Amino acid sequence: MRRKIHELQPNPVLRLLDRWRPSSEIRSWSDGLTGERITGKRLDSLRSRGWFTLHAIQWASGADIDHLAIGPAGVFSINSKRHRGKSVWYGDAAITVNGTVQRHIAVSQSEARRVSRTLSRCCGIDVPVRPVISVVHAAKLTVKNAAPPVLVVAVEDLDRMLSGLTPTLEPAQVAHIYGAARDARTWAA
């Protein structure tokens, strides 16, 4: 994200000014970067509980995976969404932000399927990946689904939620999957 922000505005003074203009593309990217940093710090706190995390994993296409968490409860592809001061609502299959439908669910599910295929191929075993959306700085988050296809959680609860899930992987499986995930060649294909 930092690279994209620098590409959009190489001049550091203008870049700083653009971060404060409400309609600026740089502000949007900067908000996303802030959300990813906050989510990353929360995920990194899981290390002492047997979890491994990776951030900003680059696909060959240039797209990236915000975060990947691999631990006793499985593998999770986590998208960070910063909706500062807004009302976020998640129902059966949609997320709205201040009443406007977003594509966050479909994008997160598609990313998790792609990550699962990639890790399964590299590990030689089936690696299910669960999609998660980390909501950062929302004024209100309402989740109205008892068994959501995508876990939607406030960033403040992310580490507690993941570490509280039922273990499904042995430490050796976690290490094996993490070894494949941290190899840049895994994502280059």
Side-chain angles (χ1 to χ4, degrees), residues 95-159:
I95 284 185
T96 63
V97 177
N98 283 350
T100 302
V101 176
Q102 305 293 312
R103 292 187 27 81
H104 300 340
I105 299 301
V107 170
S108 292
Q109 289 176 309
S110 176
E111 179 177 277
R113 284 190 299 270
R114 185 176 180 196
V115 170
S116 176
R117 284 191 307 269
T118 301
L119 288 175
S120 295
R121 184 184 71 249
C122 288
C123 292
I125 59 171
D126 183 38
V127 180
V129 176
R130 196 139 180 222
V132 178
I133 296 173
S134 169
V135 179
V136 180
H137 294 156
K140 181 179 181 183
L141 172 62
T142 304
V143 177
K144 293 283 189 180
N145 192 330
V150 175
L151 297 173
V152 177
V153 62
V155 69
E156 297 83 14
D157 301 324
L158 183 60
D159 54 334

Side-chain angles (χ1 to χ4, degrees), residues 23-189:
S23 61
S24 164
E25 189 176 1
I26 287 179
R27 181 175 181 161
S28 176
W29 281 93
S30 293
D31 280 351
L33 180 58
T34 298
E36 286 190 23
R37 285 179 175 161
I38 292 168
T39 298
K41 284 181 184 176
R42 186 61 68 160
L43 290 169
D44 287 345
S45 72
L46 291 167
R47 286 185 183 150
S48 64
R49 292 177 253 177
W51 288 79
F52 296 96
T53 56
L54 296 165
H55 311 286
I57 300 167
Q58 296 293 307
W59 292 103
S61 66
D64 77 336
I65 303 162
D66 290 354
H67 312 278
L68 200 59
I70 304 164
V75 181
F76 299 84
S77 173
I78 302 154
N79 280 293
S80 179
K81 298 296 178 190
R82 186 173 187 218
H83 293 298
R84 185 174 34 180
K86 297 180 179 171
S87 179
V88 178
W89 181 89
Y90 175 39
D92 291 329
I95 284 185
T96 63
V97 177
N98 283 350
T100 302
V101 176
Q102 305 293 312
R103 292 187 27 81
H104 300 340
I105 299 301
V107 170
S108 292
Q109 289 176 309
S110 176
E111 179 177 277
R113 284 190 299 270
R114 185 176 180 196
V115 170
S116 176
R117 284 191 307 269
T118 301
L119 288 175
S120 295
R121 184 184 71 249
C122 288
C123 292
I125 59 171
D126 183 38
V127 180
V129 176
R130 196 139 180 222
V132 178
I133 296 173
S134 169
V135 179
V136 180
H137 294 156
K140 181 179 181 183
L141 172 62
T142 304
V143 177
K144 293 283 189 180
N145 192 330
V150 175
L151 297 173
V152 177
V153 62
V155 69
E156 297 83 14
D157 301 324
L158 183 60
D159 54 334
R160 184 179 50 79
M161 185 271 301
L162 289 176
S163 65
L165 294 172
T166 302
T168 60
L169 296 176
E170 296 295 324
Q173 292 172 302
V174 171
H176 178 62
I177 296 167
Y178 176 65
R182 66 187 294 243
D183 186 340
R185 293 172 297 184
T186 297
W187 313 104

